[in-house]
């Protein structure tokens, strides 16, 4: 997002149809005026400290970029735990996330303009020469059109923009003759066949060498794409047209945007997550500002900023009004159904929505930006990073964190708009957490699980393209940057495009089609550019006063006050009943259920069953409440089933030169010492003989007082544990005997007992897949003495050892977890637990396959499916209802978090037409890995 962007005017000083140059100047003045207000009333961070933090960002970038160039180039990305490059086809497939890789040195291209922003002009010149010399865009590989556009095309255009700027300055790039632009044009033509659809929406993937549909292309059969995938093209394609004079690129991108606008839901003015590229029918009808939609809204506003076309601004303002009316529930941003926008589609949020406060700054709506940003910051302070998804009561929903930059982006723009030094402190926290928890010897590793601190062997290109750019700009003074950043706009990948493109090669017709579809309210345009007299009254504590009520919004006792109060409720009416508050012994609750069309049935086996018939509800509003109540109860039930599983454990290498920086996610055992209830076990590791541990050890002196390493197979886990315990071991790590196995491709599972009494086993036992186990084995071969810590979660490192050198670590996989609710009908059992655990094993859609002799309790995706019955919704509650209420209450107050497994199933078409759009499947974001990963 560009801090130079603005809109129609600042207060009444700019006419509504002002030339872009005047609008840009007014926007800049707005931000300057806002900054002056805050600077006057707050104690700013000293220049020395800001310079120190800026230099720290430079060092961090050098660490990441240098290791990529040393260990990975010319591969697309660096694998920072194993210190090598990720090459498509040579590593286990990660699914859609690999569609960003095209064997075109992705990280180098994505980092080009970052080098210039960080004043590394010599390195930039060297990098451009490498791109021109080594990069091939004609590879036989299927790539994502969306990712290739924002990362590669955007990276080439950003590099070209700054190359011509440097050339004009006369010191660097004097040899440059638009070579990057020619590569960008070549790539643009390679992407154009994707637009060969009746709708004008592009196919989601394309073969760089063979295009679409040809047998050798291996793509072109897809029918669906995400809204962001089709709606995040206009900046790069229009810039390519303006730079080259070839109008076809901008024409194709505009046609796609026009089609999306035409297909919006007319009554709510919202768009869905996925759409059929041939028919234009919405496939996923839930709507939000996160994954799958986010950058569509961003590009509507920025297209107006860059191109000066009023229709883009009018469309954005129309959508924004709908977002603030339905999706925004400050400080939350919750998905809704496009046909029934008063009905929430889920009770969790994804990390990609963290960009939205920054977009609101560009829009000029500062208050909700401050509120949402503060809520996100409180989540980060609790978990060190923003989990990939978290619930409305701020528990972890998806535990991974791939070092996303969106929160840093919003932090930068809020600081630009307010000048509040609070946001400098936020940036400082981000720097500290990255260095403390994500830094490894060969770069920065994504977090596999923010709860345990385990790593994943990935460092995405966007980390260098965006994170370091925004953090450096946050602390930099104007004189620290060799060009005027206000002359450029940021793409969604933070690539820089010059604002002068708005007056270059304007051959595209700017017919305003917006009014054909909607009647616009002039009030939509009031907040396009901040009016400092309204947004920033003469109170220097304005932003602080907005943040203050949210300081404790994320804590161990999750808040219950943040609930939706529908506009349609009568004044003074009570808010709808929530599943977490329900008590079956409360007569008032039973009356509310009856009003919502929900019946309570006591079964002979002691269970209590809830059944909803929407037609029996007192009103349509009550029917909506009833459906939401049932969905919440189903989610609670599914979560409780998962809570019966033991949470993952951590194996942390703490000896020299690792010092706790390498954390491996381990599967627990259903026997032996429970690490969640007892102090962690620390000791040096030693291999047992025999290695399978299935008989009395022949080297008891080697494992005495140490943690024994054992190979899986040939006998029961419990038998292995007894043998090493008898030899004097203080713990055991079982390493999978399936060579090459990894949590990349298989779910973790619990080691079960042998069917006998296992109370005699007193030592802790953990399980590692082969790839993770090889990290420890390799360390033993290199350093001989290797000490590890077995615990329920990773422990903080020794501060005195923070600056020591560390070796490489494991390759943890990113799990994709989800939840499903079947349309029309559901039946779920809730099992009472006195002390439910709130962490579950991370799993993937595939299940592990334990051998006959290994009794493994595997967490499988299919185990969590709900059972469809007739066309009504039912929820069964085991045990006493009073205990259920206590259990649900404990659930919201427990510090540990749940991580549901994937449960994919076919949709059942709803029978009752009234519920047609209410009972959309509450699926996990299948597009999560496709949007800015």
């Amino acid at each position: 997002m560009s801090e130079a962007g603005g809109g129609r005017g600042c207060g009444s000083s700019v006419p509504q149809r002002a030339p872009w140059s005047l609008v840009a100047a007014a926007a800049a003045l707005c931000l300057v005026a806002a900054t002056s207000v805050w600077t006057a009333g707050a104690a700013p961070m000293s220049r020395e400290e800001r310079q120190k933090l800026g230099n720290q960002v430079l060092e961090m970038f050098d660490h990441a970029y240098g290791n990529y160039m040393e260990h990975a180039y010319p591969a697309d990305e660096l694998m920072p735990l194993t210190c090598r490059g990720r090459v498509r086809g040579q590593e286990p497939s990660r699914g859609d996330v690999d569609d960003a890789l095209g064997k075109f040195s992705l990280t180098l291209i994505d980092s080009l303009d970052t080098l210039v922003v960080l004043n590394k002009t010599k390195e930039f010149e060297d990098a451009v020469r490498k791109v021109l010399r080594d990069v091939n865009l004609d590879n036989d590989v299927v790539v994502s059109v969306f990712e290739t556009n924002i990362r590669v095309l955007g990276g080439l255009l950003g590099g070209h923009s700054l190359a011509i700027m440097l050339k004009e300055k006369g010191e660097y790039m004097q040899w440059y003759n638009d070579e990057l632009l020619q590569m960008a044009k070549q790539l643009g033509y390679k992407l154009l066949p994707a637009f060969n659809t009746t709708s004008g929406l592009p196919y989601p993937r394309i073969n760089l060498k063979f295009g679409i549909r040809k047998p050798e292309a291996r793509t072109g059969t897809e029918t669906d794409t995400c809204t962001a995938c089709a709606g995040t093209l206009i900046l790069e394609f229009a810039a390519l047209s303006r730079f080259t004079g070839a109008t076809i690129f901008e024409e194709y991108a505009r046609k796609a945007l026009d089609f999306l606008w035409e297909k919006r839901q007319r009554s709510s003015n919202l768009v869905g997550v996925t759409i059929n590229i041939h028919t234009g029918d919405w496939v996923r009808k839930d709507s939000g500002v996160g994954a799958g939609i986010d950058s569509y809204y961003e590009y509507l506003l920025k297209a107006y900023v860059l191109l000066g076309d009023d229709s883009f601004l009018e469309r954005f303002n129309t959508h924004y009004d709908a977002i603030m009316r339905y999706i925004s529930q400050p400080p939350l941003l919750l998905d809704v159904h496009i046909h029934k926008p008063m009905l929430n589609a889920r009770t969790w949020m994804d990390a990609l929505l963290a960009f939205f406060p920054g977009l609101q700054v560009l829009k000029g709506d500062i208050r909700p930006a401050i509120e949402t940003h503060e809520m996100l910051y409180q989540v980060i302070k609790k978990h060190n990073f923003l989990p990939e998804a978290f619930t409305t009561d701020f528990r972890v929903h998806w535990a991974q964190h791939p070092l996303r930059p969106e929160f840093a982006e919003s932090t930068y723009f809020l600081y630009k708009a307010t000048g509040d030094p609070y946001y400098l402190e936020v940036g400082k926290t981000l720097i500290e957490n990255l260095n403390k928890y994500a830094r490894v010897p060969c770069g920065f590793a994504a977090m596999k699980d923010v709860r345990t601190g385990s790593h994943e062997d990935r460092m995405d290109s966007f980390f260098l393209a965006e994170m370091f750019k925004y953090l450096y700009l946050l602390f930099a003074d104007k004189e620290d940057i060799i060009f005027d950043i206000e002359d450029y706009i940021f793409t969604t990948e933070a690539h820089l495009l010059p604002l002068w493109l708005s007056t270059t090669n304007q051959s595209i017709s700017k017919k305003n089609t917006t009014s054909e579809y909607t009647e616009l309210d002039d009030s939509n345009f009031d907040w396009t550019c901040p009016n400092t007299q309204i947004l920033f009254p003469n109170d220097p504590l304005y932003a602080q006063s907005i943040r203050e009520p949210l300081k404790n919004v994320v804590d161990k006792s999750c808040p219950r006050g943040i609930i939706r109060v529908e506009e349609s409720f009568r004044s003074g009416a009570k808010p709808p009943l929530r599943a977490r508050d329900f008590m079956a012994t409360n007569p008032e609750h039973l009356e509310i259920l009856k009003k919502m069309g929900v019946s309570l049935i006591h079964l002979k086996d002691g269970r209590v069953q809830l059944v909803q018939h929407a037609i029996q509800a007192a009103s349509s509003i009550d029917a909506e409440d009833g459906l939401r109540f049932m969905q919440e109860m189903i989610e609670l039930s599914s979560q409780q089933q998962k809570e019966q599983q033991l949470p993952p454990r951590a194996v942390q290498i703490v000896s020299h030169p690792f010092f706790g920086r390498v954390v491996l996610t381990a599967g627990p055992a259903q026997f032996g010492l429970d690490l969640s209830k007892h102090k962690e076990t620390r000791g040096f590791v030693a291999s047992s003989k025999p290695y399978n541990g299935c008989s009395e050890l022949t080297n008891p002196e080697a494992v005495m007082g140490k943690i024994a390493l054992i190979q899986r197979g040939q006998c029961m886990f419990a038998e292995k544990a007894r043998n090493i315990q008898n030899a004097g071991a203080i713990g055991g790590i079982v390493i999978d005997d399936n060579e090459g196995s990894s949590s990349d491709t298989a779910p973790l599972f619990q080691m079960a007992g042998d069917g006998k009494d296992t109370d005699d086993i007193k030592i802790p036992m953990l399980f590692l897949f082969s790839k993770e186990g090889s990290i420890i084995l390799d360390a033993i071969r290199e350093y001989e003495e290797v000490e590890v810590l077995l615990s329920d979660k990773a422990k903080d490192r020794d501060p005195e050892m923070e600056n020591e050198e560390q070796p490489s670590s494991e390759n943890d996989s990113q799990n994709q977890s989800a939840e499903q609710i079947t349309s029309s009908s559901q039946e779920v059992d809730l099992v009472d637990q006195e002390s439910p655990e709130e962490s579950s094993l991370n799993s993937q859609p595939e299940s592990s396959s334990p051998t006959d002799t290994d009794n493994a309790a595997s967490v499988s995706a299919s185990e969590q499916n709900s059972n469809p019955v007739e066309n009504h919704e039912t929820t069964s509650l085991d045990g006493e209802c009073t205990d259920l209420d206590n259990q649900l209450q404990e659930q919201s107050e427990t510090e540990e978090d749940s991580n549901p497994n994937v449960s994919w199933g076919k949709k059942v078409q709803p029978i009752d037409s009234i519920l047609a759009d209410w009972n959309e499947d509450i699926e996990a974001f299948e597009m999560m890995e496709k949007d800015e990963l």
Side-chain angles (χ1 to χ4, degrees):
M1 295 170 39
S2 172
E3 71 281 5
R8 292 182 176 274
C10 181
S12 58
S13 60
V14 179
Q16 287 201 342
R17 290 296 185 269
W20 169 241
S21 58
L22 180 57
V23 176
L29 287 174
C30 288
L31 292 175
V32 171
T35 302
S36 65
V37 171
W38 285 117
T39 307
M45 182 181 289
S46 68
R47 176 175 172 81
E48 292 73 20
E49 186 173 2
R50 284 188 285 110
Q51 286 182 330
K52 179 181 178 181
L53 290 168
N55 290 334
Q56 197 171 352
V57 174
L58 294 176
E59 186 279 329
M60 292 165 65
F61 174 81
D62 289 341
H63 180 66
Y65 180 75
N67 275 286
Y68 165 75
M69 296 304 296
E70 179 181 353
H71 298 292
Y73 182 78
D76 282 317
E77 290 180 343
L78 169 69
M79 300 173 68
L81 300 181
T82 50
C83 300
R84 57 197 173 95
R86 184 180 295 279
V87 179
R88 186 92 173 262
Q90 295 183 14
E91 301 294 333
S93 174
R94 301 176 299 170
D96 291 345
V97 68
D98 280 340
D99 289 343
L101 312 180
K103 298 182 179 180
F104 35 36
S105 301
L106 176 63
T107 298
L108 181 62
I109 293 178
D110 223 0
S111 304
L112 287 178
D113 50 8
T114 303
L115 290 166
V116 183
V117 172
L118 272 55
N119 202 13
K120 297 179 179 295
T121 48
K122 184 179 183 304
E123 291 89 339
F124 171 74
E125 191 157 5
D126 293 339
V128 172
R129 292 185 186 276
K130 284 185 173 66
V131 169
L132 299 180
R133 182 190 67 200
D134 300 335
V135 172
N136 178 23
L137 299 175
D138 196 39
N139 300 311
D140 180 12
V141 60
V142 176
V143 297
S144 162
V145 173
F146 167 75
E147 298 289 357
T148 305
N149 172 66
I150 66 171
R151 299 203 206 186
V152 185
L153 184 59
L156 292 172
L157 292 172
H160 170 70
S161 300
L162 298 188
I164 57 178
M165 178 274 298
L166 290 173
K167 184 176 182 180
E168 289 177 359
K169 287 182 176 291
E171 183 176 355
Y172 294 96
M173 304 299 293
Q174 296 306 299
W175 54 270
Y176 182 71
N177 192 29
D178 294 350
E179 289 86 352
L180 290 177
L181 180 59
Q182 296 309 312
M183 289 185 68
K185 187 175 181 180
Q186 177 192 358
L187 180 60
Y189 278 117
K190 285 183 171 295
L191 296 178
L192 283 184
F195 292 84
N196 189 21
T197 61
T198 55
S199 66
L201 299 179
Y203 283 96
R205 299 174 185 85
I206 195 168
N207 187 298
L208 289 175
K209 188 177 184 68
F210 297 109
I212 293 286
R213 291 184 178 172
K214 298 177 182 177
E216 58 269 32
R218 307 184 304 283
T219 188
T221 59
E222 301 93 341
T223 59
D224 306 335
T225 192
C226 71
T227 300
C229 299
T232 311
L233 300 160
I234 186 64
L235 293 188
E236 293 83 1
F237 272 51
L240 184 58
S241 288
R242 302 297 176 97
F243 272 129
T244 64
T247 61
I248 187 172
F249 304 108
E250 185 173 346
E251 290 170 354
Y252 275 48
R254 281 177 177 266
K255 183 179 179 182
L257 274 182
D258 290 345
F259 190 82
L260 289 173
W261 169 253
E262 182 179 353
K263 291 299 179 179
R264 78 194 185 286
Q265 211 290 321
R266 301 302 175 87
S267 62
S268 67
N269 281 321
L270 294 172
V271 292
V273 175
T274 55
I275 189 171
N276 186 296
I277 60 177
H278 302 297
T279 66
D281 295 331
W282 290 110
V283 179
R284 286 272 308 280
K285 299 177 183 179
D286 44 323
S287 183
V289 297
I293 302 179
D294 51 0
S295 48
Y296 162 69
Y297 294 135
E298 178 185 358
Y299 269 38
L300 282 178
L301 182 55
K302 290 183 177 180
Y304 168 69
V305 173
L306 182 64
L307 306 177
D309 188 336
D310 289 340
S311 66
F312 292 130
L313 178 62
E314 293 169 1
R315 294 179 190 182
F316 171 80
N317 280 319
T318 301
H319 284 313
Y320 187 78
D321 177 73
I323 291 169
M324 300 308 292
R325 185 185 305 272
Y326 303 120
I327 295 171
S328 176
Q329 302 170 38
L332 309 180
L333 292 164
L334 293 178
D335 287 18
V336 300
H337 294 284
I338 59 175
H339 294 92
K340 293 288 182 180
M342 300 303 291
L343 177 63
N344 289 338
R346 59 178 51 86
T347 58
W348 49 269
M349 295 166 280
D350 68 79
L352 285 168
L353 62 77
F355 91 101
F356 197 67
L359 187 64
Q360 288 179 306
V361 171
L362 184 59
K363 161 72 177 172
D365 203 357
I366 304 296
R367 173 181 281 274
I370 293 173
E371 292 173 334
T372 299
H373 180 275
E374 181 62 23
M375 177 270 292
L376 295 171
Y377 184 43
Q378 296 301 320
V379 175
I380 289 173
K381 288 201 292 186
K382 180 177 181 180
H383 300 292
N384 300 318
F385 297 98
L386 194 62
E388 197 71 334
F390 54 93
T391 63
T392 54
D393 52 3
F394 310 110
R395 291 177 294 112
V396 172
H397 187 69
W398 295 341
Q400 63 270 28
H401 172 75
L403 305 182
R404 293 196 181 278
E406 285 78 13
F407 181 77
E409 174 185 357
S410 288
T411 302
Y412 165 63
F413 286 110
L414 271 169
Y415 178 67
K416 287 289 292 183
T418 67
D420 189 344
Y422 175 83
Y423 297 109
L424 297 178
E425 296 296 334
V426 173
K428 181 179 179 180
T429 300
L430 298 182
I431 292 174
E432 291 173 348
N433 288 349
L434 284 171
N435 278 320
K436 186 174 184 180
Y437 301 108
R439 186 169 183 140
V440 294
C442 288
F444 291 84
M447 305 306 295
K448 162 71 176 174
D449 193 317
V450 298
R451 298 165 299 186
T452 64
S454 58
H455 294 129
E456 186 176 356
D457 203 2
R458 63 184 287 192
M459 186 179 79
D460 292 83
S461 68
F462 57 68
F463 182 60
L464 285 85
E466 301 184 66
M467 181 69 81
F468 296 114
K469 195 176 292 175
Y470 289 125
L471 287 178
Y472 181 75
L473 289 171
L474 177 64
F475 297 105
D477 290 323
K478 191 170 184 178
E479 55 268 24
D480 295 330
I481 307 171
I482 62 174
F483 62 98
D484 191 351
I485 199 74
E486 306 289 346
D487 292 337
Y488 296 82
I489 188 171
F490 287 105
T491 69
T492 194
E493 191 78 1
H495 293 307
L496 294 167
L497 299 176
L499 292 174
W500 53 258
L501 288 175
S502 62
T503 58
T504 304
N505 291 323
Q506 298 185 60
S507 57
I508 304 297
S509 172
K510 296 182 181 178
K511 178 184 177 182
N512 186 340
T513 58
T514 304
S515 57
E516 297 176 14
Y517 306 115
T518 184
E519 184 174 337
L520 291 170
D521 182 353
D522 287 342
S523 64
N524 284 336
F525 306 104
D526 288 349
W527 296 93
T528 298
C529 175
N531 183 328
T532 56
Q533 298 303 314
I534 300 174
L535 288 177
F536 308 107
N538 295 323
D539 179 6
L541 300 179
Y542 175 74
Q544 180 181 342
S545 68
I546 297 175
R547 291 192 301 264
E548 195 62 35
L550 304 173
K551 287 295 184 183
N552 299 316
V553 73
V554 180
D555 56 16
K556 185 176 293 187
S557 295
C558 298
R560 299 205 172 186
I562 304 175
I563 58 176
R564 184 171 191 138
V565 181
E566 318 286 8
E567 288 184 359
S568 54
F569 281 101
R570 298 186 306 273
S571 176
K574 293 184 178 180
L577 177 65
R578 310 307 295 266
R580 62 173 179 248
D581 300 322
F582 171 67
M583 295 180 63
T585 56
N586 187 323
E588 184 180 356
H589 288 184
L590 297 179
E591 186 64 30
I592 295 174
L593 290 188
K594 182 178 179 180
K595 188 177 180 182
M596 295 189 299
V598 179
S599 303
L600 187 145
I601 304 172
H602 293 274
L603 303 178
K604 293 181 179 180
D605 58 6
R607 291 182 302 159
V608 177
Q609 189 178 64
L610 298 177
V611 183
Q612 190 211 19
H613 300 273
I615 58 176
Q616 296 179 4
S619 67
S620 60
I621 294 295
D622 293 315
E624 290 183 18
D625 290 340
L627 179 60
R628 176 168 51 198
F629 176 84
M630 296 297 292
Q631 290 172 339
E632 290 178 354
M633 191 64 76
I634 290 167
E635 290 181 11
L636 287 175
S637 170
S638 176
Q639 179 179 330
Q640 289 163 355
Q641 292 174 17
K642 297 172 182 64
E643 286 166 358
Q644 299 177 44
Q645 304 294 336
L646 294 175
R649 306 302 188 206
V651 176
Q652 191 170 11
I653 306 179
V654 296
S655 55
H656 174 84
F658 301 86
F659 302 126
R661 287 188 177 273
V662 175
V663 182
L664 311 175
T665 299
Q670 295 178 346
F671 53 85
L673 184 71
D674 187 348
L675 292 170
S676 67
K677 299 179 180 178
H678 298 82
K679 187 177 180 181
E680 67 274 0
T681 298
R682 178 170 180 160
F684 290 92
V685 296
S687 297
S688 62
K689 292 183 181 180
Y691 190 30
N692 59 33
C694 291
S695 60
E696 183 179 349
L697 267 58
T698 60
N699 64 334
E701 70 286 346
V703 300
M704 174 72 71
K706 297 183 179 180
I707 296 172
L709 302 180
I710 330 159
Q711 188 177 50
R712 179 184 181 183
Q714 301 183 31
C715 65
M716 295 291 189
F717 291 122
E719 184 177 349
K720 299 174 189 287
R722 291 189 180 98
N723 287 331
I724 63 172
Q725 179 176 271
N726 292 338
I730 61 173
I733 299 176
V734 178
I735 299 177
D736 194 10
D737 60 341
N738 182 13
E739 186 176 355
S741 67
S742 168
S743 53
D744 276 343
T745 54
L748 294 176
F749 60 88
Q750 304 174 54
M751 294 183 291
D754 54 5
K756 305 174 184 178
D757 186 2
T758 56
D759 289 344
D760 59 315
I761 301 175
K762 305 298 183 182
I763 61 175
M765 296 290 293
L766 298 180
F767 178 88
L768 292 177
F769 283 109
S770 172
K771 194 167 184 180
E772 285 75 34
S774 66
I775 301 291
I776 295 180
L777 297 176
D778 291 344
I780 293 175
R781 282 190 286 269
E782 186 168 355
Y783 301 105
E784 296 184 2
E785 294 290 317
V786 175
E787 188 178 16
V788 302
L789 185 72
L790 311 183
S791 61
D792 60 335
K793 63 187 297 185
K795 307 302 178 184
D796 287 342
R797 305 160 188 156
D798 187 341
E800 297 179 0
M801 300 178 178
E802 283 295 323
N803 296 323
E804 296 289 342
E805 196 68 31
Q806 312 92 6
S808 59
S809 178
E810 94 285 15
N811 179 14
D812 293 326
S813 72
Q814 173 168 341
N815 108 61
Q816 293 180 334
S817 55
E819 57 193 52
Q820 180 196 23
I821 296 176
T822 331
S823 300
S824 296
S825 59
Q826 304 289 345
E827 180 174 302
V828 180
D829 292 337
L830 296 180
V831 181
D832 277 336
Q833 303 176 60
E834 292 182 6
S835 302
E837 292 286 346
E838 295 223 345
S839 291
S840 62
L841 289 178
N842 293 330
S843 70
Q844 298 201 8
E846 303 88 352
S847 61
S848 62
S849 302
T851 62
D852 292 337
T853 54
D854 288 335
N855 188 5
S858 175
V859 180
S860 171
S862 61
E863 293 173 1
Q864 305 300 337
N865 287 345
S866 54
N867 302 318
V869 291
E870 297 180 17
N871 53 325
H872 57 259
E873 295 205 17
T874 67
T875 299
S876 299
L877 315 176
D878 285 358
E880 296 296 328
C881 299
T882 53
D883 291 339
L884 171 64
D885 180 73
N886 293 333
Q887 176 185 343
L888 297 182
Q889 201 163 5
E890 289 173 9
Q891 191 173 321
S892 68
E893 295 172 352
T894 305
E895 186 170 4
E896 295 299 326
D897 306 297
S898 65
N899 191 9
N901 297 330
V902 183
S903 175
W904 301 113
K906 294 184 178 179
K907 294 182 179 180
V908 180
Q909 288 297 326
I911 297 176
D912 192 336
S913 60
I914 297 178
L915 297 178
D917 293 315
W918 298 353
N919 280 346
E920 293 297 330
D921 285 346
I922 307 302
E923 301 172 347
F925 272 155
E926 196 172 10
M927 296 296 174
M928 191 62 116
E929 293 292 351
K930 298 176 67 175
D931 193 8
E932 188 97 21
L933 283 178

